[in-house]
Every structure is written in C-alpha cells, then in structure tokens.
Amino acid sequence: ANYLTETLENGLANSNYISVVNSQSVKNALKNGIQNPADVYCAGRFTDFNSSVVPIEKQTSVDSGRKDSQGRTIYKTVYEKCYKLTVDFKFRYEIIESSTGKILGSNSYNYSTSSGEYSTKRSLPSALEICESKFNSISSDILHKLQPYQITYTLNLLTDKSDVLKEANKIAKKGNLETASTMYDSYYETTGSFESRYNYILLQQAVGNLLEARDMMKELYIKTGDLR
C-alpha cells in the first residue's frame, strides 16, 4: 500500500494539472471528520493479500561415476529441494469527490504470480519485488483517470483531382475540423463525390459522433458499393 501511495504521489507531483496534497493530511481529515484539504482523493485497499513459500522437490538423474558390466554409465537419482514465493491479492480503488462523496471512478484487480525457483528461502525475492510491475500498472491506471489526457486520431483522408477537396484536406490536417467538414459536405452535395463524403464521415467519427458516422458509412457503402 505504501508503495502505491508513493508511486501515485510522485506521478502527480510531475503533473501540470494537479496540485498534490500530502496523503497523511487527507487521512487525518477523513479520520477526524474535518474539511478535506483535497478536492478529489483516491482511496484504495487490499481486500485480500496472501503470500506463501512453496517447497519444491526436484528429481534429477546424475552420473554415479560407475559403469555396469557392459561399460554403460550408471545413473543415480538425486532429490533437490528448492523454493518459490507465490503471491495473490485483490485490490480495489475509488476516486472520490471530497465535497459530495461522489465516486468519480473505480476499478478492481485480481492478481496472482510467483517467483522463480531458488535453492534457499533466504534467496527468494520479496513479495513487493515480484508484484512491482503490477503495482506500477495499477498506478498508471489511476493516474490516467485523475489527469486530463489527449487522444490522437490518425485519419487517412481521401483525395481526388479537385482543388476544393485538396484544400479541405489541408484544413482538416491543421485541426480545423469544423471548416473542413463544411467544405466536404458542400462539395458532396454539389458533386456527389465519394471521397468528400468519406472524409466528412471520418471527421464526424473524430469529434465523437460515432453512431452517426457508422450509419453514414453504411449508407455510403450501400449507395456506391465502394469498399474503401
């Protein structure tokens, strides 16, 4: 739990969007029923955590140093004891708005893993060491939900010999999707250009009109039979 807390605090400390409040101050506020110094806080807990050392007996055949009457090597069975560490846990977190108590986001994880085999118990790695990659993944998930993020779309716009369509494509690539959409729509109404309609639909998808874009693409295919 301390590892997750420290990882989150370090991650948020580098954020350009969020000011970090010391976690102990938040814990004290929640415990004593006083005003929480944080606008939003993350509460996480292990609902289950188990680790155990598993003994393993390995059987191998080794050269005994003797040969039989026909000169063949005689092998003997050797039993070797080794150990591995197994860990399984269940973890849940919630991102909570302090003023209302509203849960803004949450997730749960079930995870199990084990170390390699070691000749002595003392050589075994710690539970933290074998779970570290999963803890880092959980931290990344929480940081992703707490901070603003940007989704980048790569759109493969179609073109033809028309100067209008080429200009609309340039405008779209500069990020002015509204103007480009208007140009594509107008050009389609005038010429029936497949390319302009296709590009218009792509831009609708990019701005989040997913259902409308799906329906329009279906209509375009039915009308033209073009699989592009």
Side-chain angles (χ1 to χ4, degrees):
N2 289 337
Y3 179 86
L4 283 170
T5 300
E6 291 173 6
T7 304
L8 287 172
E9 288 184 343
N10 290 336
L12 291 172
N14 297 320
S15 172
N16 295 322
Y17 306 99
I18 295 175
S19 297
V20 181
V21 177
N22 182 273
S23 58
Q24 191 58 50
S25 300
V26 175
K27 290 177 183 177
N28 290 337
L30 295 172
K31 179 180 179 181
N32 299 317
I34 60 178
Q35 183 176 358
N36 195 326
D39 296 322
V40 175
Y41 66 95
C42 181
R45 62 189 180 279
F46 288 96
T47 56
D48 193 22
F49 192 99
N50 301 293
S51 66
S52 60
V53 175
V54 180
I56 302 171
E57 190 171 70
K58 299 175 69 176
Q59 178 180 318
T60 56
S61 296
V62 299
D63 189 341
S64 68
R66 296 182 295 115
K67 296 185 181 297
D68 62 16
S69 59
Q70 297 180 357
R72 293 174 301 192
T73 300
I74 298 175
Y75 292 90
K76 64 179 180 180
T77 300
V78 175
Y79 296 93
E80 179 185 2
K81 197 168 188 177
C82 55
Y83 305 88
K84 71 177 181 179
L85 179 69
T86 64
V87 177
D88 63 86
F89 68 79
K90 296 178 181 179
F91 180 80
R92 176 175 174 80
Y93 75 83
E94 296 173 343
I95 298 171
I96 303 169
E97 185 177 44
S98 298
S99 60
T100 64
K102 181 181 179 180
I103 298 175
L104 304 178
S106 66
N107 208 346
S108 298
Y109 304 87
N110 296 328
Y111 184 68
S112 61
T113 188
S114 63
S115 69
E117 297 174 356
Y118 292 81
S119 58
T120 65
K121 293 181 181 180
R122 182 173 295 182
S123 303
L124 287 169
S126 67
L128 174 59
E129 287 175 311
I130 66 173
C131 293
E132 185 173 3
S133 63
K134 185 60 178 180
F135 289 161
N136 289 338
S137 176
I138 293 172
S139 297
S140 296
D141 179 38
I142 297 173
L143 289 170
H144 182 73
K145 284 185 169 61
L146 283 172
Q147 300 179 98
Y149 61 92
Q150 181 177 4
I151 297 175
T152 302
Y153 285 98
T154 300
L155 303 178
N156 296 316
L157 299 172
L158 300 181
T159 188
D160 61 12
K161 296 180 180 180
S162 164
D163 291 336
V164 175
L165 197 58
K166 290 177 182 177
E167 182 62 25
N169 285 356
K170 289 181 182 179
I171 292 172
K173 290 175 181 178
K174 291 179 181 179
N176 193 340
L177 303 188
E178 184 176 354
T179 299
S181 292
T182 300
M183 293 178 68
Y184 291 137
D185 192 39
S186 176
Y187 188 64
Y188 174 72
E189 292 296 328
T190 304
T191 67
S193 164
F194 172 88
E195 290 81 5
S196 63
R197 187 60 172 172
Y198 181 91
N199 291 351
Y200 175 82
I201 295 170
L202 283 189
L203 296 195
Q204 294 310 300
Q205 177 185 337
V207 299
N209 298 328
L210 302 181
L211 294 178
E212 294 89 340
R214 181 198 65 186
D215 292 342
M216 286 188 289
M217 191 65 77
K218 183 178 179 180
E219 290 174 5
L220 183 61
Y221 169 70
I222 292 172
K223 182 177 181 179
T224 66
D226 195 318
L227 291 173
R228 284 183 289 175

